[in-house]
Amino acid sequence: MFNIIFRGLATGAIYSLTATGIVLILSTTNVMNFAQGDTGMLLAYVAFLFIARRVPPILTLPVVVIAGILLGLVVDRGLMSKAKKSSHLGMVMITLAFTMIFEGIVATFFGNTPLLFPPLISGDPFIVGSTVFDRQNLLTIFIALVIFVVLFFVLYRTKIGIAARSIADDEYGAYVLGVPINRITNFIWALSFGVAGIAGLVTAPRLSLEPTFMVVVQLKAFIAAVLGGMNSVMGAILGGLILGVLENFIAYYIPAIKDSFSLILVVLILLFLPNGIFGKRETRRF
């Protein structure tokens, strides 16, 4: 059982990382970012370029984070801030367009043939009793925990994080109080894309590196966000971990429904817990 839980936590950590980026952008800008997964895919290929030049895989982590931050700034300043003035739907469509653009860029330069992404860490697994701790999974969980702690500190202990949460609660009120909305949204897009790069980097060694390898992760991240609460970053984190563990239990005990389980779960959540497990009920004024 502990093996199932451990593998589930490693898988759930990936879902949580991707879901966190989605919820950060959604709660601050009210835009559903459909390109979060493919952003991680693109940045994983950036990491692969460095690895091909014999840079150790783990040392590509800061490169990927910086590339994600820069990409997020370019996307927000170059497109999203302009689209915001005309159409909210246009902003959503831009994120959909980026999924195709990123996949097209990768397919053009690397082709569609799956590539082998080396593990970020090598070595024999640790065995404690009957539980096998794979090093790659341990590293994934460790990196995810570090990112979650950093996000908690940034969002709850820094001025820019508090400002971002105030926008999420009441954008107009934050504007009246003098919160620099544009700077905060720049920060959120940069932060989310940086997290997307980390998610892509820790996912790539588990799967074949190809233009669509993050599509399923993106779908599971949406489900994790719904499970935890679309307006709660901490809910997205916990939702991803819960989903990963549940999936592994279902795959082991009821393999016949392992492919459809996530969709069944999201339907049940929307029916009985529309705000998610940890989400806050939103009130509207008419």
Side-chain angles (χ1 to χ4, degrees):
M1 184 177 71
F2 289 109
N3 282 316
I4 298 174
I5 294 174
F6 173 67
R7 291 195 301 269
L9 289 174
T11 303
I14 294 172
Y15 297 160
S16 297
L17 286 170
T18 307
T20 298
I22 293 171
V23 170
L24 277 171
I25 292 175
L26 178 64
S27 60
T28 307
T29 67
N30 201 30
V31 173
M32 182 66 76
N33 180 21
F34 289 99
Q36 186 73 15
D38 278 331
T39 300
M41 176 274 299
L42 178 67
L43 294 169
Y45 273 92
V46 172
F48 186 77
L49 288 176
F50 283 86
I51 292 171
R53 287 166 174 76
R54 300 184 183 280
V55 177
I58 193 63
L59 294 183
T60 61
L61 181 61
V63 174
V64 164
V65 172
I66 293 171
I69 289 172
L70 294 176
L71 181 59
L73 289 173
V74 169
V75 167
D76 185 46
R77 291 184 179 180
L79 292 171
M80 291 301 175
S81 59
K82 295 178 175 59
K84 182 179 180 180
K85 299 175 182 177
S86 58
S87 169
H88 176 267
L89 178 60
M91 299 174 71
V92 177
M93 293 305 295
I94 288 173
T95 69
L96 281 170
F98 272 124
T99 65
M100 294 179 283
I101 291 170
F102 291 162
E103 289 179 14
I105 290 173
V106 168
T108 300
F109 289 98
F110 295 91
N112 292 305
T113 304
L115 302 173
L116 180 62
F117 196 101
L120 299 179
I121 188 172
S122 58
D124 296 330
F126 299 104
I127 301 176
V128 180
S130 61
T131 306
V132 179
F133 294 96
D134 178 77
R135 289 174 184 258
Q136 181 66 41
N137 286 338
L138 280 172
L139 182 62
T140 297
I141 294 172
F142 173 76
I143 291 174
L145 286 175
V146 171
I147 297 303
F148 298 153
V149 170
V150 170
L151 284 175
F152 181 85
F153 176 80
V154 170
L155 292 175
Y156 292 90
R157 295 292 184 269
T158 66
K159 291 183 179 179
I160 194 168
I162 295 171
R165 291 192 297 114
S166 71
I167 294 174
D169 291 334
D170 185 355
E171 181 175 349
Y172 179 75
Y175 174 77
V176 170
L177 292 174
V179 174
I181 305 294
N182 291 335
R183 286 176 55 191
I184 300 301
T185 54
N186 287 166
F187 169 76
I188 291 297
W189 279 94
L191 180 63
S192 298
F193 275 34
V195 173
I198 296 171
L201 187 63
V202 297
T203 306
R206 299 164 63 99
L207 305 171
S208 297
L209 191 62
E210 54 186 319
T212 58
F213 86 93
M214 287 292 287
V215 170
V216 173
V217 174
Q218 168 98 4
L219 175 61
K220 298 298 178 64
F222 277 128
I223 295 172
V226 172
L227 175 62
M230 292 298 289
N231 56 9
S232 170
V233 172
M234 295 304 150
I237 293 171
L238 294 174
L241 296 174
I242 292 171
L243 178 61
V245 173
L246 288 177
E247 274 191 348
N248 274 264
F249 271 106
I250 292 296
Y252 185 80
Y253 290 107
I254 320 175
I257 66 168
K258 66 177 183 179
D259 293 328
S260 59
F261 167 74
S262 297
L263 297 177
I264 295 171
L265 178 63
V266 76
V267 169
L268 294 175
I269 291 296
L270 291 173
L271 284 175
F272 300 104
L273 291 170
N275 297 305
I277 299 175
F278 307 100
K280 297 179 291 185
R281 183 183 297 274
E282 294 184 357
T283 58
R284 295 184 180 181
R285 296 178 181 177
F286 296 93

